[in-house]
Amino acid sequence: MFVILYGIQFLIGTIVLKYRLRVNYARKIVHFMSFITPMAIELIVSSSTGYIGPIFIVGMLMNCVIMLIYIKPIREKSALVHRMFASFDRPEDRPHTLLWMNTQLIAGYVVLGPCFLYFQSIGYGTLAFIPVIINGLGDGLAEPIGIRFGKHKYRAHALFSKKKFTRSIEGSLCVFLSAVLILLVFASSFTVPQLVVALLVLPIAVTLAEAFSPHTVDTPFILIVGFACLYMIISFV
């Protein structure tokens, strides 16, 4: 966990500082890897040992510990940590960058932890990746597409701040289209009726979750709505 996540943050931070990659895009990669890495490690370990849960829980806790090195006294004295911090330090989020990043990370883990372990326990561990990938791909594309092509704007609020932020319908549509694409990729994991219902319900639900969630805290909303839809589909369809 430390090697993978610190390595990614250092690499992305270097690209941001040296090659002027927009941090708005870079932070999406960092954020996505923070969720997908403990899930992947858990699946690998549980498939070989039969134990479900301990590695995943430890992985999430370790990832929260990882963020401690970014507190101001450390990052201001270490060029290495400063470079890693640059991978997700979005200018418009200052001075709340670390607060909002940790809030979203912890809230996302609170949702992801029990949902992922439950889906694993009932034999649907593969489906648990769907909301996470939708969040990573859809929300990851929403910002660059919104910046480049967004013509129809709407406002979003933020936690611990009165400042308003702008989103676009074009950006939110990326979440919708990503959800459709990911469901088709995982089509073999559903029955035909389940896939039809999933395509009719899930893309709209996660798009609305992203649209109405607070700035920088959309991940837990997308995850909880995504997992809730999947649970109802596999239980009642």
Side-chain angles (χ1 to χ4, degrees):
M1 284 287 295
F2 279 108
V3 171
I4 293 173
L5 295 178
Y6 275 159
I8 289 170
Q9 289 162 15
F10 177 79
L11 176 62
I12 299 299
T14 299
I15 296 174
V16 168
L17 294 176
K18 288 195 172 184
Y19 300 100
R20 304 302 180 186
L21 174 68
R22 286 180 66 101
V23 69
N24 304 64
Y25 311 154
R27 70 187 299 277
K28 302 295 185 180
I29 301 173
V30 173
H31 187 65
F32 176 67
M33 292 303 298
S34 296
F35 285 90
I36 206 72
T37 302
M39 293 178 70
I41 293 175
E42 162 66 21
L43 280 185
I44 294 170
V45 174
S46 63
S47 64
S48 60
T49 64
Y51 293 107
I52 297 177
I55 296 299
F56 182 62
I57 294 171
V58 170
M60 290 191 298
L61 292 174
M62 284 178 63
N63 201 18
C64 292
V65 172
I66 282 174
M67 300 303 290
L68 292 177
I69 69 165
Y70 295 117
I71 60 176
K72 192 173 181 179
I74 296 178
R75 69 174 187 263
E76 287 186 343
K77 295 180 179 180
S78 170
L80 176 64
V81 175
H82 173 74
R83 177 169 296 193
M84 294 163 65
F85 184 69
S87 66
F88 59 88
D89 183 25
R90 190 164 51 182
E92 57 265 38
D93 291 349
R94 299 168 186 164
H96 303 297
T97 297
L98 198 56
L99 174 62
W100 285 344
M101 188 72 170
N102 286 332
T103 299
Q104 177 155 232
L105 186 68
I106 294 171
Y109 281 164
V110 168
V111 175
L112 178 63
C115 290
F116 177 55
L117 295 177
Y118 174 74
F119 272 70
Q120 263 201 298
S121 69
I122 62 174
Y124 286 94
T126 302
L127 290 185
F129 281 85
I130 291 177
V132 178
I133 298 175
I134 290 173
N135 177 65
L137 181 61
D139 187 44
L141 290 174
E143 188 164 357
I145 294 298
I147 292 173
R148 179 66 179 85
F149 302 105
K151 304 297 183 183
H152 303 86
K153 307 289 187 180
Y154 63 94
R155 295 284 186 177
H157 65 282
L159 299 179
F160 318 116
S161 174
K162 295 181 179 179
K163 184 179 178 180
K164 296 292 184 179
F165 295 84
T166 300
R167 289 175 178 161
S168 70
I169 293 177
E170 290 81 1
S172 293
L173 282 176
C174 290
V175 179
F176 179 88
L177 295 175
S178 297
V180 173
L181 175 62
I182 298 305
L183 286 172
L184 293 176
V185 170
F186 283 82
S188 61
S189 300
F190 297 96
T191 65
V192 173
Q194 287 175 341
L195 180 61
V196 171
V197 173
L199 287 169
L200 291 174
V201 175
L202 186 61
I204 295 175
V206 294
T207 300
L208 293 175
E210 186 271 341
F212 289 101
S213 61
H215 176 70
T216 77
V217 196
D218 43 11
T219 291
F221 290 90
I222 292 174
L223 293 182
I224 197 168
V225 169
F227 280 118
C229 289
L230 288 174
Y231 172 76
M232 289 187 287
I233 290 167
I234 63 177
S235 298
F236 303 110
V237 178

